[in-house]
Amino acid sequence: MGKTDAQFETRTSSVLRLNRRETLVVRIQPSRRWGFPSLGEIWHYRELLYFLVWRDVKVRYKQTVLGAAWAVLQPFLTMVVFSLFFGRFAGIPSGELPYPVFSYVGLLPWTLFSQGINQAGNSLAASAHLVTKVYFPRLLIPLAAVLALVVDFAIAFGVLLGMMLYYRIVPTSAVLWFPGFFLLALLTTLAVGLWLAALNAQYRDVRYVVPFLTQLWLFATPVIYPSFLLQGVWRVLLGLNPMTTVVEGMRWALLGVGAPPGRMVWASVGVVALLLITGLLYFRHTERTLADVV
Amino acid sequence: MGDIAVRAEGLGKRYLLGERLPYRTLRDSLARAARVPFRALTVRRREAPSQGLPASPRYLWALREVSLEVKRGEAVAIVGRNGSGKSTLLKLLARITEPTQGWAEVQGRVGALLEVGTGFHPELTGRENIFLNGVILGLNRAEIRRRFDEIVAFSELEKFLDTPVKHYSSGMYVRLAFSVAAHFVPDVLLLDEVFAVGDHAFRQKCHHRLRETLQAGTTVLLVTHDPAVAEQWCSRAVWLEGGQVRADGPSASVVQAYVASQE
C-alpha cells in the first residue's frame, strides 16, 4: 500500500511538471496544401530521431553471420571486382592513383548514396505500422534511414585509411574540405531519398525503379572512370550530377590528387538545393494524407 | 483554454474512397491524369440523365460536423458501431491524419494508444524495445530510465529482458507492450480498446493502473464497443453514428440508449 502511494506521488509530480513545461495547446486543422516541414518540430523530436537511427543501426546486421563486416565487405568486394575488370582488363586510367584506391574512395560515398536512396525510399512504406498509429514528423523516417548509413560509411572509411597506409598516400591540406563534400553527399542522398520515399508511399512502382536508377546513376558518376575522360558537353552533364562533385571532391580532398572541383561545385550545390527544396515540399504535401494512403 | 483539455469544432474527415485502397499505382494515376480532358466531354453526357450527381469519385465522410468539449480530468467514452467514426475521431485528435474541415485544440501532452507495442521491433531485446516504444509514445530517455524498473516489474519479464522480442510468446509480448504504455502518463490519453490483454491477474493490474492514471488528473477519451467498459470507466459518453454525434451525456443514459438501438 505504502509503495503504491509513493509511486503515485512521483507520477503526479512528473505530470504537473510536464504541464508547466509544455502548456502548449496543439491546434488541429486542415493545413495548406504546400509548405515546408517545420524544422523546429524536427528539433523537438530529436530524441526520437536518435532512437530511429539507433534502431536501424542495431537491426541492420542482426542475424547475419558477418555482422558489421558487411559495411566493409560491400564496397571492398566491389572495389576488388572493379579493379580486376575495369582497372586491369579494360585498362581504364586512374591518373596518378593506383586503381584500387581510386575506385574505393569513390565507392565510399557511392555506397552511402545508393543504399541511402534505397533505404530512405522504402522507409515510409516500411513504417506504415508507425505512421498509422502515432504522430511525429514523418520526415524523421527517411532522415533516420540516411543517417543510419553514416555508421557504415565510418566503418568502411577505416579500410580506406588502411589502403592509404599501404600505398603510402599522405593527404594534403585539402583534407580540410572533406567535411564539406561529405555533407554534400548526405544532402544529395537525403534529397533524392525524400522524393523516392514520398513517391513510394503512394506508388509502389518506385521500389522497382530504384535499383534501375542506381545502376544508371553509377555510370553517370565517375566512380569507375575519371572524369577527365569526358570532354565538352558530356563533362558539363556529368557536372550537373552532384555525386560527381562528391566523388571527385573526396578523391581530391583525401588523396590530394587531381584538381579541386571548381565551378562544378556550385552547379552541384545548386542542383542539390533544388532537389532538396522540391523534395521537402513534395514530402510535406504527401505527409498530409500519408496515414490514409500508405 | 483554461479548464478545457479537448475542444473540437465542426470537425470533419472525408475520404476519397480510392484513397483507402492499399496504394495506387503510378500507371493508374497517369492514366487518370490523361483522361481528365476527355472525361469532361464524355462523363457529363453519359451521367447527366441518370442521377444528377457524378457517380465517381465517391467520397465518404467518416466524420462530419463533430463538436465537443472535454474538461480536464474528465473520462469520456466514445461509443458507436463499426464505421461510425470513433477511430477516425481518435486519429484526428492524435494528429495521425488531418481533418478535412473544422478544427480541434488539445491542451498538453497527448498520448495515443491505438494499439500497444507500436514500433516494437522483433529483433530487438525487451530492454531495447522498452526504450524504443517509450520514445515513440512520447517519453524522453530520462523519463524512461527513471521508470524503467517499474515498467519491468509491472511486466514480470525480468528474466527475458535481454531476449529478442521475437522469441517471446504472444502473451509476453503484449505484457511488455502494455507495461510501457501503462507507465506513460500524458495530459490527454486517447485509448482504443486496448484493455483486454493478458490473463486475469494482469488485466486486474492494468485496470488498477488506469484507475491511478485517471486519479492523477489525466483526461481520457476511450473508444469502445463494450457498453460495460464505457460505464465502468467513464462518467460521460459520446455516441457516434454515421460520423456524427447522436448523443452526448452521462454514460449510463447514453450507453443505455445506444444498447437499445442495437436490439
Side-chain angles (χ1 to χ4, degrees), chain B residues 125-156:
Chain B
T125 66
R127 182 191 303 276
E128 292 166 337
N129 269 309
I130 289 176
F131 277 92
L132 182 62
N133 184 230
V135 171
I136 285 171
L137 287 178
L139 289 159
N140 63 45
R141 218 181 328 174
E143 287 172 308
I144 301 168
R145 211 170 287 141
R146 198 163 352 109
R147 294 176 199 171
F148 188 81
D149 292 338
E150 232 182 300
I151 293 173
V152 174
F154 193 89
S155 69
E156 299 165 24

PDB file of all heavy atoms in Angstrom, chain B residues 125-156:
ATOM      1  N   THR B 125      15.832  -6.590 -28.210  1.00  0.00           N
ATOM      2  CA  THR B 125      15.510  -7.246 -26.941  1.00  0.00           C
ATOM      3  C   THR B 125      14.390  -6.488 -26.227  1.00  0.00           C
ATOM      4  O   THR B 125      14.032  -5.376 -26.607  1.00  0.00           O
ATOM      5  CB  THR B 125      16.730  -7.259 -26.008  1.00  0.00           C
ATOM      6  OG1 THR B 125      17.036  -5.909 -25.653  1.00  0.00           O
ATOM      7  CG2 THR B 125      17.931  -7.895 -26.670  1.00  0.00           C
ATOM      8  N   GLY B 126      13.886  -7.111 -25.175  1.00  0.00           N
ATOM      9  CA  GLY B 126      12.849  -6.467 -24.377  1.00  0.00           C
ATOM     10  C   GLY B 126      13.309  -5.119 -23.864  1.00  0.00           C
ATOM     11  O   GLY B 126      12.606  -4.123 -23.955  1.00  0.00           O
ATOM     12  N   ARG B 127      14.524  -5.092 -23.340  1.00  0.00           N
ATOM     13  CA  ARG B 127      15.088  -3.854 -22.807  1.00  0.00           C
ATOM     14  C   ARG B 127      15.125  -2.768 -23.885  1.00  0.00           C
ATOM     15  O   ARG B 127      14.701  -1.637 -23.669  1.00  0.00           O
ATOM     16  CB  ARG B 127      16.503  -4.129 -22.303  1.00  0.00           C
ATOM     17  CG  ARG B 127      17.204  -2.951 -21.667  1.00  0.00           C
ATOM     18  CD  ARG B 127      18.678  -3.290 -21.467  1.00  0.00           C
ATOM     19  NE  ARG B 127      18.868  -4.489 -20.655  1.00  0.00           N
ATOM     20  CZ  ARG B 127      18.862  -4.491 -19.324  1.00  0.00           C
ATOM     21  NH1 ARG B 127      18.666  -3.363 -18.680  1.00  0.00           N
ATOM     22  NH2 ARG B 127      19.044  -5.601 -18.645  1.00  0.00           N
ATOM     23  N   GLU B 128      15.626  -3.138 -25.055  1.00  0.00           N
ATOM     24  CA  GLU B 128      15.753  -2.152 -26.132  1.00  0.00           C
ATOM     25  C   GLU B 128      14.387  -1.666 -26.599  1.00  0.00           C
ATOM     26  O   GLU B 128      14.191  -0.485 -26.889  1.00  0.00           O
ATOM     27  CB  GLU B 128      16.531  -2.770 -27.306  1.00  0.00           C
ATOM     28  CG  GLU B 128      17.985  -3.022 -26.969  1.00  0.00           C
ATOM     29  CD  GLU B 128      18.690  -3.926 -27.975  1.00  0.00           C
ATOM     30  OE1 GLU B 128      18.023  -4.710 -28.682  1.00  0.00           O
ATOM     31  OE2 GLU B 128      19.921  -3.860 -28.039  1.00  0.00           O
ATOM     32  N   ASN B 129      13.433  -2.600 -26.640  1.00  0.00           N
ATOM     33  CA  ASN B 129      12.105  -2.215 -27.093  1.00  0.00           C
ATOM     34  C   ASN B 129      11.388  -1.299 -26.109  1.00  0.00           C
ATOM     35  O   ASN B 129      10.579  -0.474 -26.518  1.00  0.00           O
ATOM     36  CB  ASN B 129      11.264  -3.459 -27.373  1.00  0.00           C
ATOM     37  CG  ASN B 129      11.394  -3.911 -28.816  1.00  0.00           C
ATOM     38  OD1 ASN B 129      11.236  -3.107 -29.739  1.00  0.00           O
ATOM     39  ND2 ASN B 129      11.710  -5.169 -29.021  1.00  0.00           N
ATOM     40  N   ILE B 130      11.696  -1.446 -24.833  1.00  0.00           N
ATOM     41  CA  ILE B 130      11.084  -0.542 -23.854  1.00  0.00           C
ATOM     42  C   ILE B 130      11.477   0.895 -24.184  1.00  0.00           C
ATOM     43  O   ILE B 130      10.643   1.798 -24.209  1.00  0.00           O
ATOM     44  CB  ILE B 130      11.515  -0.909 -22.418  1.00  0.00           C
ATOM     45  CG1 ILE B 130      10.856  -2.219 -21.999  1.00  0.00           C
ATOM     46  CG2 ILE B 130      11.151   0.210 -21.442  1.00  0.00           C
ATOM     47  CD1 ILE B 130      11.284  -2.726 -20.632  1.00  0.00           C
ATOM     48  N   PHE B 131      12.760   1.086 -24.490  1.00  0.00           N
ATOM     49  CA  PHE B 131      13.218   2.435 -24.827  1.00  0.00           C
ATOM     50  C   PHE B 131      12.629   2.925 -26.146  1.00  0.00           C
ATOM     51  O   PHE B 131      12.110   4.033 -26.247  1.00  0.00           O
ATOM     52  CB  PHE B 131      14.754   2.481 -24.874  1.00  0.00           C
ATOM     53  CG  PHE B 131      15.351   2.657 -23.517  1.00  0.00           C
ATOM     54  CD1 PHE B 131      15.712   1.560 -22.744  1.00  0.00           C
ATOM     55  CD2 PHE B 131      15.535   3.925 -22.994  1.00  0.00           C
ATOM     56  CE1 PHE B 131      16.244   1.728 -21.476  1.00  0.00           C
ATOM     57  CE2 PHE B 131      16.073   4.105 -21.731  1.00  0.00           C
ATOM     58  CZ  PHE B 131      16.423   3.001 -20.969  1.00  0.00           C
ATOM     59  N   LEU B 132      12.698   2.068 -27.150  1.00  0.00           N
ATOM     60  CA  LEU B 132      12.203   2.465 -28.474  1.00  0.00           C
ATOM     61  C   LEU B 132      10.715   2.815 -28.409  1.00  0.00           C
ATOM     62  O   LEU B 132      10.284   3.889 -28.846  1.00  0.00           O
ATOM     63  CB  LEU B 132      12.441   1.329 -29.474  1.00  0.00           C
ATOM     64  CG  LEU B 132      12.020   1.622 -30.903  1.00  0.00           C
ATOM     65  CD1 LEU B 132      12.821   2.778 -31.463  1.00  0.00           C
ATOM     66  CD2 LEU B 132      12.219   0.395 -31.773  1.00  0.00           C
ATOM     67  N   ASN B 133       9.938   1.916 -27.828  1.00  0.00           N
ATOM     68  CA  ASN B 133       8.498   2.121 -27.734  1.00  0.00           C
ATOM     69  C   ASN B 133       8.164   3.338 -26.882  1.00  0.00           C
ATOM     70  O   ASN B 133       7.284   4.132 -27.220  1.00  0.00           O
ATOM     71  CB  ASN B 133       7.870   0.848 -27.151  1.00  0.00           C
ATOM     72  CG  ASN B 133       6.362   0.917 -27.102  1.00  0.00           C
ATOM     73  OD1 ASN B 133       5.768   0.642 -26.080  1.00  0.00           O
ATOM     74  ND2 ASN B 133       5.739   1.297 -28.199  1.00  0.00           N
ATOM     75  N   GLY B 134       8.904   3.514 -25.793  1.00  0.00           N
ATOM     76  CA  GLY B 134       8.670   4.661 -24.921  1.00  0.00           C
ATOM     77  C   GLY B 134       8.888   5.975 -25.651  1.00  0.00           C
ATOM     78  O   GLY B 134       8.071   6.895 -25.554  1.00  0.00           O
ATOM     79  N   VAL B 135       9.975   6.050 -26.400  1.00  0.00           N
ATOM     80  CA  VAL B 135      10.270   7.283 -27.124  1.00  0.00           C
ATOM     81  C   VAL B 135       9.225   7.522 -28.206  1.00  0.00           C
ATOM     82  O   VAL B 135       8.797   8.656 -28.449  1.00  0.00           O
ATOM     83  CB  VAL B 135      11.692   7.230 -27.725  1.00  0.00           C
ATOM     84  CG1 VAL B 135      11.924   8.391 -28.658  1.00  0.00           C
ATOM     85  CG2 VAL B 135      12.717   7.265 -26.611  1.00  0.00           C
ATOM     86  N   ILE B 136       8.782   6.449 -28.850  1.00  0.00           N
ATOM     87  CA  ILE B 136       7.749   6.597 -29.879  1.00  0.00           C
ATOM     88  C   ILE B 136       6.454   7.115 -29.255  1.00  0.00           C
ATOM     89  O   ILE B 136       5.763   7.958 -29.828  1.00  0.00           O
ATOM     90  CB  ILE B 136       7.538   5.260 -30.621  1.00  0.00           C
ATOM     91  CG1 ILE B 136       8.713   5.029 -31.572  1.00  0.00           C
ATOM     92  CG2 ILE B 136       6.229   5.256 -31.395  1.00  0.00           C
ATOM     93  CD1 ILE B 136       8.750   3.677 -32.206  1.00  0.00           C
ATOM     94  N   LEU B 137       6.148   6.643 -28.059  1.00  0.00           N
ATOM     95  CA  LEU B 137       4.930   7.119 -27.389  1.00  0.00           C
ATOM     96  C   LEU B 137       5.047   8.584 -26.969  1.00  0.00           C
ATOM     97  O   LEU B 137       4.045   9.248 -26.751  1.00  0.00           O
ATOM     98  CB  LEU B 137       4.639   6.272 -26.153  1.00  0.00           C
ATOM     99  CG  LEU B 137       4.111   4.867 -26.398  1.00  0.00           C
ATOM    100  CD1 LEU B 137       3.922   4.151 -25.083  1.00  0.00           C
ATOM    101  CD2 LEU B 137       2.801   4.915 -27.154  1.00  0.00           C
ATOM    102  N   GLY B 138       6.275   9.072 -26.828  1.00  0.00           N
ATOM    103  CA  GLY B 138       6.434  10.475 -26.486  1.00  0.00           C
ATOM    104  C   GLY B 138       7.163  10.725 -25.175  1.00  0.00           C
ATOM    105  O   GLY B 138       7.210  11.846 -24.700  1.00  0.00           O
ATOM    106  N   LEU B 139       7.684   9.667 -24.573  1.00  0.00           N
ATOM    107  CA  LEU B 139       8.500   9.859 -23.381  1.00  0.00           C
ATOM    108  C   LEU B 139       9.904  10.248 -23.807  1.00  0.00           C
ATOM    109  O   LEU B 139      10.316   9.930 -24.921  1.00  0.00           O
ATOM    110  CB  LEU B 139       8.582   8.562 -22.584  1.00  0.00           C
ATOM    111  CG  LEU B 139       7.316   8.107 -21.863  1.00  0.00           C
ATOM    112  CD1 LEU B 139       7.390   6.627 -21.582  1.00  0.00           C
ATOM    113  CD2 LEU B 139       7.156   8.870 -20.571  1.00  0.00           C
ATOM    114  N   ASN B 140      10.653  10.905 -22.936  1.00  0.00           N
ATOM    115  CA  ASN B 140      12.048  11.090 -23.281  1.00  0.00           C
ATOM    116  C   ASN B 140      12.896  10.085 -22.517  1.00  0.00           C
ATOM    117  O   ASN B 140      12.418   9.383 -21.638  1.00  0.00           O
ATOM    118  CB  ASN B 140      12.501  12.542 -23.087  1.00  0.00           C
ATOM    119  CG  ASN B 140      12.410  12.978 -21.643  1.00  0.00           C
ATOM    120  OD1 ASN B 140      12.811  12.241 -20.747  1.00  0.00           O
ATOM    121  ND2 ASN B 140      11.876  14.152 -21.417  1.00  0.00           N
ATOM    122  N   ARG B 141      14.165  10.031 -22.910  1.00  0.00           N
ATOM    123  CA  ARG B 141      15.021   8.965 -22.410  1.00  0.00           C
ATOM    124  C   ARG B 141      15.146   9.000 -20.891  1.00  0.00           C
ATOM    125  O   ARG B 141      15.123   7.970 -20.238  1.00  0.00           O
ATOM    126  CB  ARG B 141      16.405   9.082 -23.050  1.00  0.00           C
ATOM    127  CG  ARG B 141      16.975   7.728 -23.355  1.00  0.00           C
ATOM    128  CD  ARG B 141      18.340   7.800 -23.955  1.00  0.00           C
ATOM    129  NE  ARG B 141      18.558   8.998 -24.779  1.00  0.00           N
ATOM    130  CZ  ARG B 141      19.738   9.291 -25.302  1.00  0.00           C
ATOM    131  NH1 ARG B 141      20.759   8.492 -25.092  1.00  0.00           N
ATOM    132  NH2 ARG B 141      19.895  10.371 -26.033  1.00  0.00           N
ATOM    133  N   ALA B 142      15.254  10.203 -20.335  1.00  0.00           N
ATOM    134  CA  ALA B 142      15.397  10.319 -18.883  1.00  0.00           C
ATOM    135  C   ALA B 142      14.156   9.766 -18.180  1.00  0.00           C
ATOM    136  O   ALA B 142      14.261   9.068 -17.170  1.00  0.00           O
ATOM    137  CB  ALA B 142      15.617  11.778 -18.516  1.00  0.00           C
ATOM    138  N   GLU B 143      12.996  10.064 -18.720  1.00  0.00           N
ATOM    139  CA  GLU B 143      11.760   9.574 -18.111  1.00  0.00           C
ATOM    140  C   GLU B 143      11.687   8.049 -18.147  1.00  0.00           C
ATOM    141  O   GLU B 143      11.255   7.404 -17.199  1.00  0.00           O
ATOM    142  CB  GLU B 143      10.546  10.144 -18.847  1.00  0.00           C
ATOM    143  CG  GLU B 143      10.296  11.614 -18.585  1.00  0.00           C
ATOM    144  CD  GLU B 143       9.209  12.175 -19.487  1.00  0.00           C
ATOM    145  OE1 GLU B 143       9.294  11.994 -20.720  1.00  0.00           O
ATOM    146  OE2 GLU B 143       8.275  12.772 -18.979  1.00  0.00           O
ATOM    147  N   ILE B 144      12.113   7.500 -19.293  1.00  0.00           N
ATOM    148  CA  ILE B 144      12.064   6.047 -19.409  1.00  0.00           C
ATOM    149  C   ILE B 144      13.034   5.413 -18.413  1.00  0.00           C
ATOM    150  O   ILE B 144      12.706   4.449 -17.733  1.00  0.00           O
ATOM    151  CB  ILE B 144      12.422   5.592 -20.834  1.00  0.00           C
ATOM    152  CG1 ILE B 144      11.453   6.201 -21.830  1.00  0.00           C
ATOM    153  CG2 ILE B 144      12.390   4.078 -20.945  1.00  0.00           C
ATOM    154  CD1 ILE B 144      11.887   6.052 -23.264  1.00  0.00           C
ATOM    155  N   ARG B 145      14.227   5.998 -18.333  1.00  0.00           N
ATOM    156  CA  ARG B 145      15.214   5.444 -17.425  1.00  0.00           C
ATOM    157  C   ARG B 145      14.696   5.485 -15.994  1.00  0.00           C
ATOM    158  O   ARG B 145      14.847   4.556 -15.228  1.00  0.00           O
ATOM    159  CB  ARG B 145      16.525   6.238 -17.547  1.00  0.00           C
ATOM    160  CG  ARG B 145      17.751   5.393 -17.271  1.00  0.00           C
ATOM    161  CD  ARG B 145      19.028   6.131 -17.628  1.00  0.00           C
ATOM    162  NE  ARG B 145      19.230   6.247 -19.062  1.00  0.00           N
ATOM    163  CZ  ARG B 145      19.725   7.328 -19.652  1.00  0.00           C
ATOM    164  NH1 ARG B 145      20.004   8.403 -18.954  1.00  0.00           N
ATOM    165  NH2 ARG B 145      19.914   7.346 -20.951  1.00  0.00           N
ATOM    166  N   ARG B 146      14.015   6.585 -15.668  1.00  0.00           N
ATOM    167  CA  ARG B 146      13.502   6.743 -14.322  1.00  0.00           C
ATOM    168  C   ARG B 146      12.428   5.686 -14.019  1.00  0.00           C
ATOM    169  O   ARG B 146      12.320   5.195 -12.915  1.00  0.00           O
ATOM    170  CB  ARG B 146      12.925   8.154 -14.160  1.00  0.00           C
ATOM    171  CG  ARG B 146      12.772   8.565 -12.743  1.00  0.00           C
ATOM    172  CD  ARG B 146      12.584  10.082 -12.528  1.00  0.00           C
ATOM    173  NE  ARG B 146      12.759  10.935 -13.674  1.00  0.00           N
ATOM    174  CZ  ARG B 146      11.744  11.561 -14.288  1.00  0.00           C
ATOM    175  NH1 ARG B 146      10.511  11.365 -13.888  1.00  0.00           N
ATOM    176  NH2 ARG B 146      11.983  12.366 -15.301  1.00  0.00           N
ATOM    177  N   ARG B 147      11.637   5.339 -15.020  1.00  0.00           N
ATOM    178  CA  ARG B 147      10.535   4.402 -14.773  1.00  0.00           C
ATOM    179  C   ARG B 147      10.866   2.984 -15.191  1.00  0.00           C
ATOM    180  O   ARG B 147      10.018   2.101 -15.104  1.00  0.00           O
ATOM    181  CB  ARG B 147       9.306   4.859 -15.563  1.00  0.00           C
ATOM    182  CG  ARG B 147       8.792   6.166 -15.037  1.00  0.00           C
ATOM    183  CD  ARG B 147       7.651   6.694 -15.824  1.00  0.00           C
ATOM    184  NE  ARG B 147       7.536   8.118 -15.543  1.00  0.00           N
ATOM    185  CZ  ARG B 147       6.749   8.940 -16.187  1.00  0.00           C
ATOM    186  NH1 ARG B 147       5.996   8.480 -17.152  1.00  0.00           N
ATOM    187  NH2 ARG B 147       6.703  10.203 -15.882  1.00  0.00           N
ATOM    188  N   PHE B 148      12.109   2.800 -15.654  1.00  0.00           N
ATOM    189  CA  PHE B 148      12.464   1.511 -16.251  1.00  0.00           C
ATOM    190  C   PHE B 148      12.169   0.335 -15.323  1.00  0.00           C
ATOM    191  O   PHE B 148      11.482  -0.620 -15.706  1.00  0.00           O
ATOM    192  CB  PHE B 148      13.937   1.530 -16.653  1.00  0.00           C
ATOM    193  CG  PHE B 148      14.342   0.331 -17.440  1.00  0.00           C
ATOM    194  CD1 PHE B 148      14.079   0.248 -18.807  1.00  0.00           C
ATOM    195  CD2 PHE B 148      14.968  -0.737 -16.821  1.00  0.00           C
ATOM    196  CE1 PHE B 148      14.435  -0.865 -19.525  1.00  0.00           C
ATOM    197  CE2 PHE B 148      15.319  -1.861 -17.550  1.00  0.00           C
ATOM    198  CZ  PHE B 148      15.049  -1.926 -18.900  1.00  0.00           C
ATOM    199  N   ASP B 149      12.652   0.422 -14.070  1.00  0.00           N
ATOM    200  CA  ASP B 149      12.473  -0.696 -13.135  1.00  0.00           C
ATOM    201  C   ASP B 149      10.999  -0.975 -12.872  1.00  0.00           C
ATOM    202  O   ASP B 149      10.571  -2.123 -12.795  1.00  0.00           O
ATOM    203  CB  ASP B 149      13.184  -0.387 -11.816  1.00  0.00           C
ATOM    204  CG  ASP B 149      14.692  -0.358 -12.005  1.00  0.00           C
ATOM    205  OD1 ASP B 149      15.165  -0.967 -13.004  1.00  0.00           O
ATOM    206  OD2 ASP B 149      15.384   0.278 -11.197  1.00  0.00           O
ATOM    207  N   GLU B 150      10.248   0.102 -12.772  1.00  0.00           N
ATOM    208  CA  GLU B 150       8.814  -0.024 -12.564  1.00  0.00           C
ATOM    209  C   GLU B 150       8.148  -0.754 -13.732  1.00  0.00           C
ATOM    210  O   GLU B 150       7.302  -1.625 -13.544  1.00  0.00           O
ATOM    211  CB  GLU B 150       8.245   1.390 -12.479  1.00  0.00           C
ATOM    212  CG  GLU B 150       7.392   1.690 -11.275  1.00  0.00           C
ATOM    213  CD  GLU B 150       6.878   3.120 -11.371  1.00  0.00           C
ATOM    214  OE1 GLU B 150       7.709   4.043 -11.414  1.00  0.00           O
ATOM    215  OE2 GLU B 150       5.662   3.296 -11.455  1.00  0.00           O
ATOM    216  N   ILE B 151       8.555  -0.363 -14.943  1.00  0.00           N
ATOM    217  CA  ILE B 151       7.984  -0.974 -16.147  1.00  0.00           C
ATOM    218  C   ILE B 151       8.299  -2.465 -16.169  1.00  0.00           C
ATOM    219  O   ILE B 151       7.425  -3.301 -16.407  1.00  0.00           O
ATOM    220  CB  ILE B 151       8.544  -0.288 -17.423  1.00  0.00           C
ATOM    221  CG1 ILE B 151       8.051   1.158 -17.517  1.00  0.00           C
ATOM    222  CG2 ILE B 151       8.137  -1.069 -18.676  1.00  0.00           C
ATOM    223  CD1 ILE B 151       8.676   1.972 -18.624  1.00  0.00           C
ATOM    224  N   VAL B 152       9.554  -2.783 -15.884  1.00  0.00           N
ATOM    225  CA  VAL B 152       9.970  -4.178 -15.922  1.00  0.00           C
ATOM    226  C   VAL B 152       9.234  -4.989 -14.855  1.00  0.00           C
ATOM    227  O   VAL B 152       8.727  -6.078 -15.116  1.00  0.00           O
ATOM    228  CB  VAL B 152      11.491  -4.295 -15.717  1.00  0.00           C
ATOM    229  CG1 VAL B 152      11.911  -5.751 -15.616  1.00  0.00           C
ATOM    230  CG2 VAL B 152      12.224  -3.616 -16.866  1.00  0.00           C
ATOM    231  N   ALA B 153       9.137  -4.434 -13.654  1.00  0.00           N
ATOM    232  CA  ALA B 153       8.447  -5.131 -12.573  1.00  0.00           C
ATOM    233  C   ALA B 153       6.984  -5.363 -12.944  1.00  0.00           C
ATOM    234  O   ALA B 153       6.429  -6.440 -12.713  1.00  0.00           O
ATOM    235  CB  ALA B 153       8.541  -4.314 -11.290  1.00  0.00           C
ATOM    236  N   PHE B 154       6.389  -4.376 -13.553  1.00  0.00           N
ATOM    237  CA  PHE B 154       4.989  -4.477 -13.952  1.00  0.00           C
ATOM    238  C   PHE B 154       4.788  -5.610 -14.957  1.00  0.00           C
ATOM    239  O   PHE B 154       3.810  -6.349 -14.905  1.00  0.00           O
ATOM    240  CB  PHE B 154       4.557  -3.145 -14.558  1.00  0.00           C
ATOM    241  CG  PHE B 154       3.073  -2.995 -14.723  1.00  0.00           C
ATOM    242  CD1 PHE B 154       2.303  -2.470 -13.690  1.00  0.00           C
ATOM    243  CD2 PHE B 154       2.447  -3.357 -15.900  1.00  0.00           C
ATOM    244  CE1 PHE B 154       0.932  -2.315 -13.832  1.00  0.00           C
ATOM    245  CE2 PHE B 154       1.074  -3.213 -16.043  1.00  0.00           C
ATOM    246  CZ  PHE B 154       0.323  -2.693 -15.006  1.00  0.00           C
ATOM    247  N   SER B 155       5.748  -5.742 -15.868  1.00  0.00           N
ATOM    248  CA  SER B 155       5.600  -6.745 -16.931  1.00  0.00           C
ATOM    249  C   SER B 155       5.912  -8.159 -16.441  1.00  0.00           C
ATOM    250  O   SER B 155       5.543  -9.132 -17.077  1.00  0.00           O
ATOM    251  CB  SER B 155       6.525  -6.415 -18.097  1.00  0.00           C
ATOM    252  OG  SER B 155       7.870  -6.617 -17.706  1.00  0.00           O
ATOM    253  N   GLU B 156       6.623  -8.271 -15.307  1.00  0.00           N
ATOM    254  CA  GLU B 156       7.053  -9.563 -14.752  1.00  0.00           C
ATOM    255  C   GLU B 156       7.910 -10.338 -15.751  1.00  0.00           C
ATOM    256  O   GLU B 156       7.838 -11.546 -15.860  1.00  0.00           O
ATOM    257  CB  GLU B 156       5.846 -10.416 -14.342  1.00  0.00           C
ATOM    258  CG  GLU B 156       5.002  -9.744 -13.264  1.00  0.00           C
ATOM    259  CD  GLU B 156       3.628 -10.391 -13.111  1.00  0.00           C
ATOM    260  OE1 GLU B 156       3.496 -11.571 -13.475  1.00  0.00           O
ATOM    261  OE2 GLU B 156       2.707  -9.714 -12.633  1.00  0.00           O
TER     262      GLU B 156
END
